[in-house]
Every structure is written in C-alpha cells, then in structure tokens.
Amino acid sequence: MSYQVKEIQTKPFEGQKPGTSGLRKRVKIFQQEHYTENFVQAIFDAVDPKGKTLVIGGDGRYYCPETVQTILKIGSANGVAKFIIGKDGILSTPAASNIIRKYKADGGILLTASHNPGGPNNDFGIKYNVSNGGPAPESVTNKIYEKTKSISTYKVIELPPIDLGKKGFSTYGPTNVEIIDSVSDYVQLLEDIFDFPLIKNFVQSRSNEFKVLFDGMHGVTGPYGHAIFVDALGLPESSVQNAIPLPDFGGGHPDPNLTYAHELVERVERDNIQFGAASDGDGDRNMIYGKGAFVTPSDSVAIIADWAAEAIPYFKKGGIHGLARSMPTSAQIDYVAKKKGLECHVVPTGWKFFGNLMDAGRLSICGEESFGTGSDHIREKDGVWAIVAWLNILAYANQQSPNELVGIKQLLEKHYAVYGRSFFSRYDYEEVSSEGAQKLVDALNEHISASSLAKTTHTSKSTGQKFTVAEVSNFDYTDPIDHSVSKNQGQVVRFDDGSRVVFRLSGTGSQGATVRMYVERYVPASAGPAELNKDTQEGLKGLIEVALEISKLREFLEREKPTVIT
Ligand code: VG1
Ligand code: CO
C-alpha cells in the first residue's frame, strides 16, 4: 500500500513531565487534540526509533486501543522498523518487560496508569521502557520532557487502523507489525522459574485445608491468573475472581491493598481461604492475604529473599546476587541480607532505580512497600510472579514439615522469631492542596537546615512511649553503576531507637498533591511472640502520634485522617 508521511503543526502542552512511572493524566487531557500525539512524538525525538523494534502493550484501560493506533501512525512515520503488539493491544507491565527482553526489542511503549482508576473520567498513562525491559531512567524521561516543551510538529502516516484482534504478521506503511498472544510467553517464563509440579501437588493434595483465591480486580491479570491458577495448577474456576479485564476496571480502584481489595479480604475471611492474592490494573503489584494474616509488602520481599535459594529453582540454580528495597520500604529485608552476607541496596522510590543494579549482576530480589515485589527475571515488578513465589515457598515449607499445615501466618511468625520485626505502615493523604503539601515540605526542610528537631524528645499521649529524634535528613541517591544523582527523594526523621518516619510527595497522582507518610519501628526477636505478633497499627500507635505531632501534618494539609492506610 502506498503511504505518505505528513507533518502536522502543533504547540507544546504544559506538564508533560513523566512522574515516578510515566506520564499519567486524566483521559480527558490525553483526548485533547494533539496532546497524545505530542507526547508520542517527543518520545521519538528523544530516542531515535529509526530501524528499531518496539513493543506496544497496555493494561486494557479506556483509551488504550485508540492510542495503539496513534503510536502506529507516528512510529511508522518516524522510521520504526517493527512493532510487536500484544493481542487487542494488551500486555501486563511484567509481560511487556518480558517480551522486550525475549524478542530482543529495542524498547517499548506501555499504556497504563497502573493502579489508578480507569474509564472516560479517570486516568490514562504512557510509559517508555528501554531495551533491558525496564522503565526508562531519569536521563531519558528528562529528555522526553525537554522535547515536549519545544515541539512544533509531529509526523504521521495515515492508513486504515490495524486489526489488533488478529494474531500474526502484517505491515503498516513501511513498518512491520507482529501481533502476539498476550499470555503464553509469560506463562512459559513463570514455568521456567518456579517449581510448578511441587506447587500443583501441594495445592491439589491439600485442597480441603488450603484454598486459593486470586483476584484480578478487573485489571489486566485476569487471563494470566486464569492460565496459571486454573489451567497450569489445576485449581477450580472459583479460585479466580474479577478475572475479566474491563476498560474501567468495573468502576473500582484496581489497587491491591486492604482498602481497595476488600472484596478479596471479605471472601478470604468468610470462606476460610488460606491463600488469597490480588494484583493491580497493569499487573505489576500484588497483595498476599490469607485468613487472619496480611503480609506487608516489606515483609513479603524479605520472606521471599529468605527462602528463595532453597525453594525456588531459578534462584537455586542461579544464586542470589544482592537484594534491594526502595528507601521508604522497611528494613526487614536488610536483616535477611545481613544474615546471608548479601549486599542490600537502598534506592529511591520507583522501579527504574533497580534496573542498573540488575544489569550489573548485583541484584536478584527487590521490593517496594507499595505492593511491588520482583526479581531480575525481568525489569519491572511482577505481581503474579510474587504470588506464585509465595505459593512455591509455602509448598516447599509444607514439604519440609509434612505434619502441620504451614500457612501464611505460620510463615510470618517463624520469620519474626528469627529476624525480629519491623512494624511498618503507610498513611496516604490523597488530593490535598499543593500549597499545603509544599508547606509541610518547607517546614521539614527548615528543620533539616536548622537541626531544630535533633535531640528533642516526644512522648505519645496514648502509649506513654518516648521517642528522641536522632536526625532529620533528605534522601539523595547516587547510582552505584552510572553514578547519576537523584536528589530530594524523601525526608527522613530518624529516632534514637532506630524507628523512622519518612515523608514524600507522590509522583503518580493526576490531580492536586498526594502526601505519603511512612512509619517504621523495629522490635527485636528477643521481645518474644506477644510483642512480635501484635497488630501493625497497635505496634505503631505511639510513633504515629509523635510523627503527626512533630511534622504538623494535619495542620498543613487540613486533614484529620489519611485517605488510605496500608
Ligand atoms: C507509587 C509508589 C511507588 C511505585 C509507583 C508506581 O509512586 O509509591 O513505590 O513504584 O507508584 O507503581 P508514588 O510516586 O505515587 O509514591 V505502579 O504499580 O503505579 O507502576
Ligand atoms: Co502497577
């Protein structure tokens, strides 16, 4: 078919700066004339796509199909050699990372706003990933942002849209197009990593006492979950719920935490389910929740790191080369690293900061407190991977102790008895005024420069606990591999007893400002089970009171209570 490259005149839009994980805005903003086109052209202006192979995949949310066609038009006009696209434009974020690596593509464009709600009145997002399969580093996202500020034209080739529902090869103008199955490569990947026969044997032989429930939250992972839990592990259909992806996620908030995944939590409790798990809109987050036992993400990554070399074939074979966490994540994994003599890196928030360490062979397993867990099998966090990792570990632990049922609760208690426990919780204040958030940040910065909080002691009114501030600081990070520096990644108040409170502004919201407060208190193993196995909010009560008081957060944000507690 003949084709013609057209140049369309445009003007820059303000605010096309990628945040923690891509550009996220309301759908209505992306739908403005030239808005999406500008950002896509800016990507191609920043990373020359001539002769390159790029992957396209989205989480199926509203506006994904249209945007795939936009990328085809602009990408072909900019000289992309080949696009590999998930069927119907769908790939979970971890599946897209895998496809980029497996098919040796030069990068990819992911269409997702992750756990943010979808639909015509909610959020959409575009994220660029590089050839290692991971999110573009700040050097690239800054370049894209610079291009959005000076853009004056974009190029298109106008041809009839490609049928995204038909697998196989075709062309769009000068560009080759391959539409692939969205699920099969990913299932293959997990089967190569985990001990599927062991898991299958365990879940089937103990099916009366160990029920499994996976909740796709109407996000992208439904078909992946079905293929793994029902088809590969032979669990009943009733062990997956909300497994049909919907463009508006059924009107819900596809974020797997105790607030938004309440449907899972309720069914787990009602039906006596030993193992429940959920994943977010684009499939990179996970929550592990069994009857009466919630696993904080900080504990989850520590426990996976603790058992992996013994229980999971991928690590048994390849070994573990270092661990890592994002700065606000609790130090639970540090204790595991210390005992095992492994490096443990602390990076800023956002998965992009793990990539260099993985590529350098210095990082195998890592996590973020925000329900993100993963490993160097790909370069994104991976919700279904984490869920199957837990099943693999439980199957192995039960093989070791055949006379008792080792469930999530038992595994947690065993872990705390060895390592002690870092109680951890995050308070989110969503869509507060930007001025209030700035005042909070400014006040903390003043404390940092004047050292005015150091050595002051604060008493909790309800528990009587005393906390003395050791230091207040800003977290800056220098990447150990490429030495790039990222400044102001959160303000940290450290106390004498090792407790800590972190304040950070979210970089993924699409409206106003979101303030996150992260609270952590360590209790050593010697404290005994009564202290170690307390409820999280109970264990942190005094510290939270003190944190709110010294930061004056409630006054600055004019909010009595957080929007979400995790
Ligand atoms: C949040 C989380 C962060 C995570 C990011 C993307 O960022 O805190 O840990 O990497 O979301 O997750 P922020 O800047 O809002 O705190 V996902 O599942 O939205 O790609
Ligand atoms: Co996500």
Side-chain angles (χ1 to χ4, degrees):
M1 203 183 288
S2 72
Y3 59 86
Q4 192 197 347
V5 176
K6 277 205 272 185
E7 288 224 1
I8 314 279
Q9 301 296 314
T10 185
K11 282 200 192 82
F13 285 88
E14 254 179 52
Q16 290 196 323
K17 185 174 168 54
T20 312
S21 189
L23 182 70
R24 290 185 195 177
K25 301 278 177 199
R26 290 282 194 253
V27 167
K28 293 267 184 302
I29 298 214
F30 275 101
Q31 282 172 328
Q32 297 170 85
E33 196 182 10
H34 306 314
Y35 189 93
T36 302
E37 289 83 353
N38 273 19
F39 190 69
V40 172
Q41 181 66 53
I43 295 176
F44 294 138
D45 287 341
V47 288
D48 183 7
K50 272 185 213 78
K52 299 213 167 126
T53 297
L54 295 178
V55 170
I56 309 177
D59 60 8
R61 71 176 58 224
Y62 187 84
Y63 211 49
C64 273
E66 294 87 341
T67 307
V68 175
Q69 303 292 348
T70 304
I71 296 170
L72 278 169
K73 283 185 197 171
I74 300 178
S76 60
N78 280 276
V80 173
K82 181 177 178 183
F83 278 119
I84 301 174
I85 310 174
K87 184 168 169 290
D88 299 317
I90 288 186
L91 285 173
S92 76
T93 292
S97 182
N98 178 48
I99 298 292
I100 294 172
R101 296 169 67 78
K102 184 169 173 177
Y103 290 68
K104 303 207 172 1
D106 298 287
I109 299 179
L110 279 60
L111 306 177
T112 171
S114 188
H115 55 286
N116 298 17
N121 296 314
N122 284 304
D123 287 1
F124 186 70
I126 303 182
K127 181 166 101 164
Y128 182 70
N129 279 30
V130 292
S131 62
N132 73 354
E138 280 183 334
S139 55
V140 177
T141 54
N142 289 340
K143 205 165 161 195
I144 296 172
Y145 178 47
E146 287 309 313
K147 296 290 181 189
T148 67
K149 293 198 283 189
S150 59
I151 190 164
S152 58
T153 59
Y154 60 86
K155 289 188 210 145
V156 291
I157 294 176
E158 301 271 9
L159 290 171
I162 287 263
D163 179 357
L164 300 173
K166 237 175 53 207
K167 282 193 279 182
F169 294 87
S170 57
T171 54
Y172 189 95
T175 304
N176 289 312
V177 176
E178 181 180 1
I179 305 219
I180 59 166
D181 188 90
S182 315
V183 176
S184 54
D185 289 293
Y186 182 78
V187 174
Q188 174 77 58
L189 173 74
L190 292 203
E191 283 180 339
D192 291 343
I193 293 172
F194 296 109
D195 193 340
F196 269 62
L198 177 77
I199 305 172
K200 190 169 181 179
N201 180 27
F202 169 64
V203 293
Q204 293 198 345
S205 64
R206 308 289 282 264
S207 61
N208 286 334
E209 34 177 0
F210 191 90
K211 279 191 247 165
V212 174
L213 177 62
F214 170 76
D215 192 328
M217 301 189 85
H218 289 304
V220 73
T221 50
Y224 297 85
H226 193 278
I228 286 163
F229 302 109
V230 179
D231 302 338
L233 295 174
L235 288 163
E237 288 285 341
S238 58
S239 59
V240 298
Q241 71 178 19
N242 299 325
I244 302 193
L246 297 173
D248 66 348
F249 308 118
H253 201 131
D255 196 358
N257 59 43
L258 294 175
T259 305
Y260 295 126
H262 57 90
E263 222 186 302
L264 172 88
V265 172
E266 282 149 24
R267 209 179 130 199
V268 161
E269 294 300 336
R270 191 183 64 227
D271 296 352
N272 237 322
I273 291 169
Q274 277 285 326
F275 188 89
S279 192
D280 73 334
D282 65 327
D284 54 359
R285 296 186 176 205
N286 75 94
M287 176 173 80
I288 307 291
Y289 183 89
K291 173 130 182 125
F294 164 63
V295 186
T296 71
S298 298
D299 287 352
S300 177
V301 66
I303 288 174
I304 294 175
D306 193 18
W307 287 81
E310 225 182 302
I312 300 175
Y314 176 88
F315 300 104
K316 232 192 275 182
K317 241 186 286 152
I320 297 182
H321 317 280
L323 304 174
R325 62 174 166 95
S326 67
M327 183 274 283
T329 305
S330 96
Q332 195 74 33
I333 190 171
D334 301 22
Y335 311 129
V336 175
K338 197 163 171 219
K339 184 162 174 227
K340 296 189 185 294
L342 294 166
E343 275 194 288
C344 188
H345 309 272
V346 178
V347 311
T349 296
W351 209 260
K352 56 181 176 254
F353 294 103
F354 293 124
N356 277 348
L357 288 161
M358 288 182 178
D359 289 348
R362 287 176 59 182
L363 171 56
S364 301
I365 296 172
C366 55
E368 293 192 277
E369 50 62 46
S370 53
F371 297 84
T373 326
S375 91
D376 62 354
H377 66 293
I378 52 170
R379 294 294 180 272
E380 290 276 6
K381 55 189 184 269
D382 190 344
V384 177
W385 175 92
I387 295 165
V388 180
W390 265 85
L391 280 176
N392 193 152
I393 289 166
L394 285 167
Y396 178 82
N398 278 283
Q399 192 187 43
Q400 303 301 105
S401 332
N403 299 323
E404 49 162 345
L405 181 71
V406 185
I408 294 175
K409 197 156 186 271
Q410 291 74 21
L411 212 65
L412 283 173
E413 292 180 359
K414 263 185 191 196
H415 187 82
Y416 301 150
V418 174
Y419 293 101
R421 174 177 180 190
S422 253
F423 283 89
F424 179 88
S425 182
R426 177 173 116 181
Y427 278 39
D428 291 336
Y429 299 82
E430 291 177 359
E431 295 185 18
V432 296
S433 81
S434 302
E435 297 81 59
Q438 196 51 48
K439 277 189 201 154
L440 174 75
V441 170
D442 291 346
L444 285 162
N445 278 336
E446 264 166 48
H447 281 306
I448 294 173
S449 52
S451 292
S452 42
L453 272 178
K455 308 260 173 344
T456 58
T457 299
H458 308 265
T459 310
S460 148
K461 289 194 187 72
S462 65
T463 68
Q465 285 164 292
K466 286 190 189 317
F467 295 93
T468 302
V469 177
E471 188 201 17
V472 190
S473 59
N474 248 313
F475 180 62
D476 295 337
Y477 178 69
T478 304
D479 186 293
I481 312 300
D482 67 14
H483 309 292
S484 58
V485 177
S486 306
K487 286 197 178 289
N488 296 325
Q489 299 291 320
Q491 294 157 308
V492 187
V493 184
R494 225 173 267 289
F495 297 88
D496 268 358
D497 68 342
S499 299
R500 165 184 101 145
V501 183
V502 176
F503 298 89
R504 235 191 102 246
L505 294 185
S506 155
T508 57
S510 59
Q511 203 101 314
T514 290
V515 172
R516 307 200 194 284
M517 177 176 89
Y518 312 78
V519 193
E520 177 179 3
R521 185 170 79 92
Y522 180 67
V523 173
S526 58
E531 273 301 308
L532 289 169
N533 301 331
K534 260 192 183 163
D535 167 75
T536 302
Q537 295 303 322
E538 201 49 46
L540 289 171
K541 201 167 172 206
L543 182 58
I544 289 170
E545 262 176 44
V546 165
L548 290 172
E549 184 201 299
I550 61 180
S551 64
K552 299 205 174 65
L553 179 143
R554 279 173 300 211
E555 289 86 324
F556 288 133
L557 303 186
E558 295 177 7
R559 285 279 176 91
E560 240 349 89
K561 290 218 164 71
T563 324
V564 180
I565 298 181
T566 49

